[in-house]
Amino acid sequence: MQQTSTPADRIKHSIGSLISYIVFITWTLITVVPLIWMLYSSFKSNEELIKDIYAFPKALFENKYDEYVVIPKTLNVVLPYDPDKDPRERIIIESTTIAPTLRLMVHFLVKEDLPPELQSLKPGDKITLNQLPPNMQRDIHWKTVFFNYRSAFERGKLASKFVNSLLYSGISTFLIVLFGLMAGFGLSKMAFKKASLLISGLIGFGYLISTNSVIIPLFLMLSNMKLTDTHLGVILVYTAFGLPLSVMLTTQFIRDLPDSLIESAFMDGATYFRMFFSIIVPMTVPVITTISIISALGIWNEFLLVLVIASSELTKSLPVGVYSFSSLTSTQLGWQLAALVIAVLPVMVVYFIFNKRLTQGVVAGAVKG
C-alpha cells in the first residue's frame, strides 16, 4: 500500500530542497564570480585597477580621443622593428592617459603614411587618436584594447613559458601514468608479496613527504647532477613527486581486476609486456583518467619547484611568469590578470570539452573496489 506524504513531510522536503539550492547557488557564485571579475579586469588599465578594482573596464576601450605626445628615440624605448631591415623614418608617440612616461603604451608611426600636416611633428607635440588616418586609428585601438595581453606576452615572455608548462605537464603526466601503471601491476599481480609490502610502504611514505621539506637537498642533488635549469631536471622532479599517488591508486585498482584475465593471456602465449599493454592498460582507463587530471593540473599550477630549479627564461613555467609582473617597487596588475587568464583558459577549455569523460573517470576511479 502506497503511503501518502503528510504536510510535515512536504515541508521538510521543501526546506531541504531550498537549503540544497542555496548551497549550490552560493558555491557556484563563489567559483564563477572571481573568474568573471578576473576576465573583465584583465582589460582594465593599471590606473583603473588601483582606483576601483570592481568597476568595469573603460580606459582601454574608449580610446578614440586619447591624447598622445611625441617622444624622442631613447634607450628606454624598445623598438618593435629592426632599423637595419626597415629604415623608414617613424614618429614615436606615447599615451598621456595610460601608463604615461613609463614607455609602455608607445606606438611607432611610419612618417610617410601620415598626412602632410602630421609629418612635421616634433618631440613634445601632442595629438589625439582621431587625428590619425583611419587605418592607424583601428590598429592603435585594438592594440590598446589588448594592451595587457600584448604586454604579458611581449614583456613577460609568456609564449615560451606557456610552451614550457605544456611540456612539463604533458611529458611528466605521461611518465607518471606509465610508470605508475607498471609499478601498480607489479605490486598487485606479480608473486612478490613480501617485497610488494615493503615497496608499497616506502612509496606510501614518499607520498607523505612535502615539497617544502626537501627543496634544499633536492636543489643540491640536481646541482651535482648538472640538472638544474634544464627541462629534463624539472620533468624528472615532477615525475618523482607524482609517482607515489599514481602507484597507490593503480595498485588498488589493478588488484581488483580478475586474475583469470592474466592467466588466460599467459596461456595464449602473451608476454608480460604484451599482456600489460593489451589487457591491463585498456581496463584501467578510469584510473588513468583520474591520475592524469590530478597530475596535469597539479603540475600546470605548481610554482615553488620550478621557481627554485629553473633560473633562466628558457625553462621557467607559466606560474613563474605570472609572478614576474610583481616587484617590490611596482606591480602591473593588468598584465598580471591577463597572464592569469592565459594560465586559466587552457584548463577551462579542457574541462568544458572533456567534462563528461573527466567526471566519469574520476567517479569510476574513486568507487572501484
Side-chain angles (χ1 to χ4, degrees), residues 293-324:
I293 296 169
I294 297 173
S295 301
L297 292 181
I299 294 170
W300 183 269
N301 296 318
E302 202 282 323
F303 173 76
L304 180 61
L305 279 174
V306 75
L307 177 67
V308 174
I309 298 173
S311 57
S312 69
E313 295 296 324
L314 294 175
T315 53
K316 290 179 180 178
S317 63
L318 204 52
V320 179
V322 175
Y323 176 75
S324 66

Side-chain angles (χ1 to χ4, degrees), residues 115-164:
E117 63 271 16
L118 296 180
Q119 292 183 4
S120 58
L121 290 172
K122 303 295 182 184
D125 294 341
K126 294 182 178 180
I127 60 171
T128 55
L129 183 60
N130 61 341
Q131 292 179 264
L132 297 175
N135 60 327
M136 289 187 178
Q137 290 186 39
R138 287 192 298 270
D139 181 57
I140 294 177
H141 168 75
W142 289 113
K143 285 183 177 179
T144 303
V145 170
F146 291 97
F147 167 66
N148 291 330
Y149 288 89
R150 290 192 308 110
S151 300
F153 270 105
E154 294 172 4
R155 298 179 181 271
K157 297 181 176 62
L158 286 192
S160 62
K161 295 181 177 66
F162 186 88
V163 173
N164 285 338

Side-chain angles (χ1 to χ4, degrees), residues 233-354:
V234 176
I235 291 171
L236 290 177
V237 170
Y238 281 146
T239 303
F241 276 98
L243 273 176
L245 179 61
S246 177
V247 173
M248 287 190 294
L249 290 177
T250 54
T251 300
Q252 182 60 41
F253 192 94
I254 296 174
R255 182 177 289 122
D256 294 327
L257 297 179
D259 295 333
S260 57
L261 292 174
I262 299 175
E263 294 171 357
S264 299
F266 284 140
M267 291 177 64
D268 291 336
T271 62
Y272 272 109
F273 281 98
R274 177 63 183 276
M275 182 267 302
F276 175 78
F277 287 107
S278 300
I279 297 177
I280 299 299
V281 172
M283 295 189 67
T284 54
V285 170
V287 77
I288 289 175
T289 305
T290 304
I291 297 169
S292 298
I293 296 169
I294 297 173
S295 301
L297 292 181
I299 294 170
W300 183 269
N301 296 318
E302 202 282 323
F303 173 76
L304 180 61
L305 279 174
V306 75
L307 177 67
V308 174
I309 298 173
S311 57
S312 69
E313 295 296 324
L314 294 175
T315 53
K316 290 179 180 178
S317 63
L318 204 52
V320 179
V322 175
Y323 176 75
S324 66
F325 294 121
S326 299
S327 66
L328 295 175
T329 56
S330 65
T331 300
Q332 290 295 333
L333 297 175
W335 299 3
Q336 201 165 46
L337 288 170
L340 283 171
V341 172
I342 295 170
V344 170
L345 193 59
V347 178
M348 296 184 64
V349 170
V350 170
Y351 173 78
F352 285 120
I353 293 177
F354 301 103

Side-chain angles (χ1 to χ4, degrees), residues 76-98:
N76 60 345
V77 176
V78 180
L79 301 179
Y81 62 95
D82 188 348
D84 296 328
K85 296 181 179 179
D86 188 359
R88 291 180 298 174
E89 190 175 357
R90 286 171 168 81
I91 293 178
I92 307 174
I93 60 174
E94 181 185 21
S95 174
T96 61
T97 56
I98 301 172

